[in-house]
Amino acid sequence: MRSDLMKKGIARAPHRSLLYALGLTKDEIERPLIGVVNSASEIIPGHMHLNIITDAVKAGIRSAGGTPMEFGTIGICDGLAMDHTGMKYSLGSRELIADSIEVVAMGTPFDGLVMITNCDKIVPGMLIAAMRLNIPTIIASGGPMLAGDVRGEKLGVDNVFEAVGAFQAGKIKQDELDLIEACACPGAGSCAGLYTANSMNCLTEALGMGLPGNGTIPAVYSDRYRLAKEAGVTIMARVEDDLCPRDIMTREAFYNAITLDMAVGGSTNTALHLPAIAYYGGVKISLDDFDRVSESVPHLCNLAPAGPDHMEDLHMAGGITAVMHELSKGKHLNTQQKTVTGRTLGEIIRDHPVKNHDVITPIESPRHAFGGLAVLKGNLAPEGCIVKSAAVVPEMMVHEGPARIFESEEDAVDAILGGHIREGDVIVIRYEGPKGGPGMREMLTPTSTIAGMGLDKSVALITDGRFSGATRGASIGHISPEAATFGPIAAIHEGDRIEINISDKRLTLKLDDREIEQRLESIKQKGERKPGIDSGYMYRYSKLVSSAAEGAVFPL
């Protein structure tokens, strides 16, 4: 056992003494030691109940003959960090979470790990840690929040952001805004639509690192606690057979995850996180892989913010196993992939057909013939950019308009709320990339305000930053290279024409190559622009982080 490094032999008497100090018995010390990573805090609604989930995991471990040892890690609520300096720290927290788990698990050699997660950067951060450490690991999420309800209409946090725009446009009154904000988020769990956290929890099932139900069982259901106990039991079996994350998260497993992503229409942030997780395990996944998969995999679900269904509806329709069952009919998945259950993916999904085809459409009659995310390239994004095409209205699949330039999210929001954006405009927010921001802020406030003001059918937004999974509309992010590294987005002038063709996967600045090069050369002569934070963790982050097209990762 790995834990023998710190507990076996005469020389480890001092170590055993310290374990006794923890209150462990001789028998507990001799059992496999399982690290239980609990990300619970009092600042994230998705974490309100994680201590209960953690207790259930530990109960499962003990029942199967192991000794659980709990430790914690950090987390940020992206909703609370939105639209201020705090959002610059969100993406950077992913590597910090992975680092914190890695150093504890290396300092304390566990035989296995169960990582208890919820919310945006914590899920990928834990998967990165699992890939790096490569000891038997299971990811156990806290599950999604139930949808809110106003007069019988389901809603989530995205509706609150959009209500701000509607209020500003005079479409609703203060009492209606107050009602929406009070009802949208009814309790524990990761916010109710297919936003980043729920997207990643679902993809964890397709990667093989979470038990069936990990992505969709609502946080408040007792099934969630039973699943946590099962995770505790299952990790003991994986310790016994030494099935490790790199045995599971192979290139084929990542293709399965991207395939599921396209079928459900997940958050654009998955195009950052999946390549990053793969990178830390020596697997090459790029935006080109997303592009290839999107061309062949149909879009089957219409989940918020793109449509009316929420995570509870997907769960009742059969969950992720049912979506993958449907995909397997078209031979879109590698069903021989190993999973933490000890069974192959095919064995898991074989007996889980769709229960409600109104939520998960038959593969023969999908909502769209192609995947829910689209990768665009062109002279404005040579390395690529991404849009949640499933959440774009038909009128905006092809659009051309004048550029409205903003050097920060705050300036753009002020212009939108101030009524300075007109129909047909293409809002450009730059110097918000991984290096330039730094931290590549999510921009739910401008996109939802555009939607709330009724401009989502006529106004596009492009950025070298990124978007929340709750974003809808012609919102194109991750433009690479970013402005801070002299990408073409830095060369745009106010009023330049920009052509967006999501159908043909093109993003074009209507200038010739020579003009773009001359403008960029002029910018380079002025020297590098300083990042928005010039000290501390995020300043160091800005010096290390790679392009968004590579997953915004650190050097190995």
Side-chain angles (χ1 to χ4, degrees):
M1 291 191 295
R2 291 175 177 82
S3 60
D4 286 346
L5 288 170
M6 68 175 178
K7 69 182 187 183
K8 192 171 184 179
I10 296 299
R12 296 296 181 257
H15 303 65
R16 291 192 295 274
S17 181
L18 292 169
L19 293 172
Y20 282 129
L22 293 172
L24 298 180
T25 65
K26 184 174 185 294
D27 180 56
E28 287 175 315
I29 293 170
E30 290 174 350
R31 294 175 181 176
L33 302 183
I34 308 300
V36 179
V37 191
N38 180 5
S39 60
S41 75
E42 294 184 351
I43 57 174
I44 305 176
H47 291 204
M48 289 170 60
H49 61 313
L50 288 194
N51 287 329
I52 302 173
I53 296 286
T54 300
D55 286 343
V57 167
K58 291 192 286 188
I61 291 168
R62 291 191 185 100
S63 72
T67 298
M69 301 184 75
E70 179 184 341
F71 65 98
T73 188
I74 65 160
I76 290 174
C77 176
D78 278 21
L80 295 177
M82 200 72 67
D83 194 28
H84 59 83
T85 301
M87 182 48 75
K88 292 179 183 284
Y89 288 79
S90 175
L91 182 59
S93 74
R94 185 187 69 184
E95 266 60 27
L96 201 55
I97 289 162
D99 288 349
S100 69
I101 296 170
E102 179 184 344
V103 297
V104 173
M106 292 303 293
T108 313
F110 297 111
D111 298 299
L113 293 164
V114 179
M115 300 186 186
I116 300 161
T117 184
N118 241 12
C119 301
D120 290 4
K121 307 310 169 291
I122 304 159
V123 187
M126 288 187 167
L127 284 163
I128 287 170
M131 187 68 107
R132 286 186 195 167
L133 289 163
N134 201 36
I135 65 175
T137 301
I138 291 177
I139 306 295
S141 87
M145 186 185 293
L146 293 175
D149 183 281
V150 170
R151 303 184 191 95
E153 181 180 349
K154 289 184 177 181
L155 70 165
V157 70
D158 57 311
N159 300 101
V160 189
F161 277 91
E162 291 187 13
V164 173
F167 174 79
Q168 193 69 22
K171 295 183 176 183
I172 62 172
K173 297 186 181 300
Q174 183 69 54
D175 58 350
E176 182 71 9
L177 177 60
D178 292 344
L179 178 64
I180 292 170
E181 73 175 65
C183 298
C185 301
S190 47
C191 296
L194 194 62
Y195 316 140
T196 303
N198 289 326
S199 294
M200 288 305 302
N201 281 332
C202 290
L203 299 194
T204 298
E205 289 189 46
L207 278 173
M209 290 297 294
L211 299 181
N214 181 74
T216 61
I217 297 173
V220 295
Y221 283 17
S222 293
D223 282 349
R224 178 58 62 179
Y225 305 122
R226 282 188 281 271
L227 191 71
K229 289 179 183 177
E230 186 180 345
V233 171
T234 303
I235 191 60
M236 297 305 297
R238 299 294 73 79
V239 168
E240 180 67 25
D241 61 23
D242 201 32
L243 183 64
C244 296
R246 294 191 190 185
D247 302 322
I248 295 169
M249 288 192 283
T250 63
R251 182 171 179 79
E252 291 75 18
F254 281 100
Y255 264 81
N256 282 345
I258 296 170
T259 297
L260 174 68
D261 200 10
M262 295 301 168
V264 297
S267 165
T268 54
N269 285 312
T270 60
L272 275 177
H273 299 320
L274 288 179
I277 297 160
Y279 166 83
Y280 288 112
V283 179
K284 175 68 174 175
I285 295 291
S286 70
L287 282 177
D288 289 338
D289 295 302
F290 281 77
D291 190 32
R292 280 191 291 272
V293 174
S294 72
E295 292 178 350
S296 61
V297 175
H299 176 224
L300 305 181
C301 301
N302 200 19
L303 297 159
D309 297 326
H310 289 76
M311 296 306 295
E312 62 210 65
D313 302 306
L314 179 58
H315 176 63
M316 296 305 292
I320 295 306
T321 50
V323 177
M324 291 194 290
H325 179 97
E326 199 66 28
L327 287 169
S328 69
K329 294 178 181 178
K331 303 190 183 304
H332 292 293
L333 297 169
N334 185 323
T335 56
Q336 296 306 306
Q337 281 301 113
K338 298 176 181 177
T339 73
V340 290
T341 66
R343 296 177 290 159
T344 66
L345 187 69
E347 289 170 334
I348 291 172
I349 67 177
R350 182 180 301 145
D351 299 321
H352 290 276
V354 174
K355 298 177 182 177
N356 184 347
H357 279 298
D358 289 334
V359 176
I360 306 169
T361 61
I363 197 164
E364 300 85 5
S365 53
R367 298 180 189 278
H368 300 98
F370 305 109
L373 301 178
V375 176
L376 281 56
K377 288 190 176 182
N379 69 348
L380 191 45
E383 294 177 3
C385 56
I386 195 158
V387 61
K388 192 168 187 173
S389 53
V392 179
V393 295
E395 300 95 309
M396 292 298 290
M397 293 298 284
V398 178
H399 177 77
E400 182 179 327
R404 302 296 308 281
I405 307 296
F406 301 96
E407 309 293 340
S408 72
E409 179 186 6
E410 289 88 348
D411 290 346
V413 171
D414 288 345
I416 296 165
L417 291 175
H420 302 301
I421 301 300
R422 302 288 181 260
E423 291 186 5
D425 285 349
V426 179
I427 298 170
V428 178
I429 305 178
R430 61 190 178 190
Y431 293 101
E432 289 284 9
K435 286 183 176 293
M440 203 180 184
R441 284 193 286 185
E442 283 188 352
M443 299 190 191
L444 180 55
T445 298
T447 58
S448 57
T449 303
I450 289 168
M453 295 177 74
L455 295 172
D456 57 311
K457 294 182 180 180
S458 60
V459 171
L461 192 157
I462 69 173
T463 181
D464 54 6
R466 61 194 176 90
F467 298 114
S468 165
T471 289
R472 65 184 176 94
S475 303
I476 300 166
H478 305 196
I479 289 180
S480 301
E482 62 176 290
T485 60
F486 308 110
I489 189 173
I492 308 173
H493 290 176
E494 184 82 7
D496 284 346
R497 303 291 294 184
I498 295 174
E499 180 186 8
I500 299 165
N501 191 321
I502 297 171
S503 301
D504 289 344
K505 301 183 179 180
R506 293 198 319 269
L507 181 64
T508 306
L509 177 59
K510 303 293 286 259
L511 296 174
D512 62 47
D513 292 345
R514 185 176 180 182
E515 175 66 18
I516 294 172
E517 289 172 8
Q518 289 176 343
R519 290 185 184 185
L520 291 176
E521 186 59 35
S522 175
I523 295 169
K524 289 176 184 177
Q525 289 175 3
K526 296 176 183 177
E528 288 189 3
R529 178 183 171 126
K530 291 182 179 180
I533 296 173
D534 59 7
S535 64
Y537 173 69
M538 287 309 296
Y539 178 73
R540 297 195 302 274
Y541 178 93
S542 72
K543 299 300 181 185
L544 290 171
V545 69
S546 74
S547 164
E550 299 170 350
V553 293
F554 285 175
L556 289 173

